[in-house]
Amino acid sequence: MGVVVTDAEVTLADVLSLRLAIAEPLADGTRLVLRRRGTAEERRVTLGASGGRTRDASVAVSLAPLDLGPGRWDAYLEQDGVRARMQSVDPGFSLDRLDAYALGRRTLAYRAYRTRNGFLSLKIDSAEPVADVRAVWFREGRFEVTGLLAYTGLDDDDQHRHATLALRRNDPGRNDPSYSDPSYSDPSHSDSSRNDPGHSDPAATVRVAATVQGVRFHAALSLCDVLAATPDSQGSWEPYLEVDGVDRAMPLGARLDDVEGKRRRVHYPHTLVDGVPIRPSFTPGDELLLEVGA
């Protein structure tokens, strides 16, 4: 078809905005087809004609009415009964755009991106408030972390908000679907009283004040306190951020960038506290951990 996507973005209003370079004008009845990867599920949107002489075209499609579920959706253009996957030269990644998009309170997060083979696709994830990690480091016996509050709906302003960093001891058995612990608070549960590790989970024994200005956060805690709270100097801790104005405790994760599988790809150096190694790492779900004795 001679169609190449030169710019792809999902706007703040969840509209897929495309700029196309085209060899021939788009005809009446041309359709954008989104196909869910690994299934036969599809959504079709009829596009308008592009005009007789133009060599480029703009497309805007509202995504929310299409009822797209989480997953990967590949984009096709269908014209005169011929369907072709849409090629793209836009990598679809801008951290500034992603940060702006994450300021809204959302239940689904849409992202347009270019696949490894150079085609346009959509990545759709469930969205819930999260403290997105931008930097972690050890300094003077402390663990420090900075980042951005995502999907909270808070304003990116200069307002200071009361906040606390809380650590909950991680039990590997909770990753087993058959595991059941009545004291465990599932971070994905919508009831805020069950998502505050400081109130519902007695394992959250390490707590420290954090700094939040607008949607930017910084927290630092003593590694000696972490070690003292770790039985037999062996275990791991899941950090959460509690912020006034957010109705649930937020896990510290790293999901806004384009690096997936951080447990395999991102490795931090360890530090020694009384001879015991402590290292930050990530869970398979890209949430931060502090591993003691690792």
Side-chain angles (χ1 to χ4, degrees), residues 112-178:
Y113 73 101
R114 184 184 62 191
T115 69
R116 292 180 180 178
N117 295 326
F119 296 106
L120 175 67
S121 288
L122 285 178
K123 180 176 182 286
I124 304 177
D125 294 306
S126 298
E128 58 188 21
V130 64
D132 196 72
V133 173
R134 295 299 162 85
V136 299
W137 66 95
F138 293 130
R139 178 168 56 186
E140 298 177 351
R142 299 191 306 266
F143 166 74
E144 298 193 40
V145 57
T146 62
L148 175 83
L149 304 183
Y151 308 127
T152 63
L154 298 178
D155 293 328
D156 188 8
D157 53 24
D158 293 329
Q159 180 179 349
H160 288 268
R161 296 177 171 85
H162 178 75
T164 301
L165 179 69
L167 268 66
R168 182 181 64 200
R169 194 162 56 247
N170 179 47
D171 185 341
R174 288 172 178 157
N175 296 324
D176 183 346
S178 64

Side-chain angles (χ1 to χ4, degrees), residues 191-260:
D191 183 348
S192 61
S193 67
R194 289 176 55 82
N195 284 284
D196 182 347
H199 292 85
S200 61
D201 191 339
T205 57
V206 181
R207 301 170 65 85
V208 66
T211 300
V212 171
Q213 182 174 0
V215 294
R216 317 288 165 172
F217 72 87
H218 170 267
L221 59 87
S222 167
L223 292 174
C224 290
D225 291 345
V226 175
L227 181 59
T230 306
D232 301 321
S233 300
Q234 187 78 34
S236 58
W237 294 84
E238 299 170 337
Y240 285 78
L241 195 66
E242 305 160 7
V243 180
D244 280 359
V246 181
D247 61 2
R248 60 185 299 162
M250 293 173 285
L252 270 64
R255 301 173 182 167
L256 296 190
D257 61 25
D258 61 347
V259 179
E260 298 181 351

